[in-house]
Amino acid sequence: MRSEGPSSGPYSGPASAVIAALLCVLVLTGAVHPEATSVPAEGDDDGMAVLQLSAASHNEVAYTAVREVRGPESADRGGVDVRVVNRPGAGLAMSPLDGEEQAGEERAFVVLASSALESLDERLLDVLEDTYHVVDSGPDDLDGRPAHLVEVLRADSTVAGRFWVDIETDLLLGHTVYDLAGEEAFSSHLTELSLEEGSWPDEVLGDSPWGDALDSAERRELREAGWVLPEHLTWNLRLVDTRSKHYEGEPVVHAVYSDGLSQVSVFSQRGKLGTEHPSTLHNGYVGTGTGGGGVTTGHDTIFGGDVGQYQSVWQANGFVYTVLADAPADLASSAVAALPGPEDSGFWARVLRGLSRLGLL
């Protein structure tokens, strides 16, 4: 009888090699499991065709409706209802449905067809497709109106957002944005939709874009002069629009970052906050001119409402930064953290306390 050597056990030879290979496969499979923040999220983006039709319809279909905007339920901050009139080729007029209107003091705000990011456009669709897995989830309805449901998934297959696109007209009926915990962070949808142009307001604000658009060469010049203007603010926020105008002879830059679902506006200008305008977390956001004098105007007209809106202002390295966002709190706070840190070392602790008080964390 031949004695067994030390390598002749039940897992020796070819069998042990197969098992080792299987173990390697399992280890490697576990190692490459995607995180939520992995970019791009893999998959066939078959929902993009639906959203592209929706983007085109905004410039082709006249309508009147009420837009209902809601923030996170946990924040208990109510909502904003806005009358909207879409006139293809001209723009979108928005006027509040609140006490001001009832008091006869209604002022409409118009977003021109040539200005940015009030509806889906090519820039938002590009960043959406490059960041997420965009899925056509088939027929659904919103408030009883037949719609296509498009779901936007992170790399780990969690839902980052949903779009409802009207089957009859391809209009975007509504969208909802979800935070990393799966909670609703922001939603907007149309009610009382009527496929007619409606009356255009006589007196309006915002009849031109915020400022002159900056091209890549102009952005590069600003960076060389010390302005902080990154192309990516955080893992899913890409620079999609940059504009500048002058206030009291000094430039103010408005940069818009988006992941295709949410938008974060960053205003920057040289100067410092005066003692009457300390750094703030929410409400009372301000920017000032050189030396702390003169508050820059126009910030409050960017989003047209304060539901779910994150607002913050601080000074750092000779600049004042103002951030406005209708976005999940985790996204807004990561955007703020990506910018130069404030000169007050206790700022970030106050940010976290402020978000906690608002029910956003």
Side-chain angles (χ1 to χ4, degrees):
M1 176 181 290
R2 182 169 55 90
S3 63
E4 300 285 348
S7 62
S8 61
Y11 297 105
S12 63
S16 62
V18 170
I19 291 172
L22 289 173
L23 288 174
C24 287
V25 169
L26 290 173
V27 170
L28 290 173
T29 302
V32 299
H33 184 73
E35 299 290 337
T37 56
S38 298
V39 176
E42 299 297 334
D44 180 16
D45 293 317
D46 58 3
M48 291 303 303
V50 178
L51 297 183
Q52 287 161 354
L53 287 173
S54 179
S57 72
H58 186 78
N59 297 318
E60 298 170 354
V61 180
Y63 68 87
T64 301
V66 172
R67 176 181 293 178
E68 296 182 358
V69 182
R70 300 292 181 266
E73 294 181 3
S74 60
D76 191 26
R77 298 172 62 192
V80 169
D81 295 342
V82 180
R83 175 71 63 185
V84 294
V85 178
N86 188 57
R87 178 179 287 183
L92 184 74
M94 300 177 286
S95 54
L97 295 179
D98 57 17
E100 289 186 0
E101 181 187 35
Q102 296 170 6
E105 300 176 358
E106 177 185 356
R107 299 293 296 277
F109 184 85
V110 172
V111 179
L112 294 186
S114 61
S115 58
L117 309 176
E118 176 57 31
S119 60
L120 290 174
D121 73 357
E122 185 177 346
R123 288 165 295 178
L124 295 181
L125 292 178
D126 283 347
V127 72
L128 185 75
E129 184 176 17
D130 290 345
T131 305
Y132 297 108
H133 181 198
V134 185
V135 180
D136 182 355
S137 295
D140 198 8
D141 70 85
L142 188 64
D143 296 330
R145 192 172 180 93
H148 281 291
L149 172 62
V150 176
E151 294 189 294
V152 179
L153 308 180
R154 302 182 185 92
D156 65 352
S157 298
T158 57
V159 178
R162 291 187 172 98
F163 293 93
W164 287 265
V165 176
D166 188 47
I167 289 179
E168 177 185 353
T169 64
D170 292 324
L171 288 172
L172 180 62
L173 295 177
H175 77 281
T176 299
V177 181
Y178 302 89
D179 62 22
L180 289 171
E183 300 294 328
E184 288 191 15
F186 178 83
S187 67
S188 172
H189 73 279
L190 300 179
T191 62
E192 303 178 28
L193 177 64
S194 175
L195 299 178
E196 57 184 28
E197 189 169 279
S199 59
W200 197 255
D202 295 328
E203 187 176 0
V204 301
L205 301 171
D207 58 349
S208 62
W210 189 87
D212 295 329
L214 300 176
D215 59 26
S216 59
E218 290 170 318
R219 295 197 299 270
R220 184 171 59 252
E221 290 178 3
L222 284 172
R223 293 181 183 116
E224 292 172 352
W227 296 70
V228 176
L229 195 60
E231 291 295 317
H232 284 82
L233 201 55
T234 185
W235 71 273
N236 57 345
L237 289 178
R238 182 193 300 177
L239 185 64
V240 293
D241 193 70
T242 320
R243 298 180 179 271
S244 178
K245 68 178 181 180
H246 282 74
Y247 177 75
E248 295 186 348
E250 297 291 333
V252 182
V253 175
H254 174 206
V256 180
Y257 294 86
S258 180
D259 61 349
L261 290 169
S262 303
Q263 295 178 35
V264 175
S265 278
V266 179
F267 295 87
S268 56
Q269 59 191 121
R270 290 191 183 276
K272 63 181 181 180
L273 292 171
T275 56
E276 71 277 21
H277 298 307
S279 294
T280 60
L281 300 176
H282 179 72
N283 293 330
Y285 52 91
V286 290
T288 68
T290 302
V295 176
T296 299
T297 59
H299 294 350
D300 59 338
T301 64
I302 301 304
F303 290 98
D306 63 355
V307 174
Q309 189 177 86
Y310 178 100
Q311 306 164 359
S312 186
V313 60
W314 70 96
Q315 64 184 42
N317 305 324
F319 286 85
V320 171
Y321 296 93
T322 303
V323 173
L324 304 179
D326 278 319
D330 48 28
L331 185 61
S333 58
S334 65
V336 171
L339 294 165
E343 295 165 5
D344 178 359
S345 61
F347 179 80
W348 297 121
R350 298 205 309 277
V351 167
L352 295 176
R353 288 198 301 270
L355 290 173
S356 178
R357 286 196 299 270
L358 294 170
L360 298 178
L361 287 180

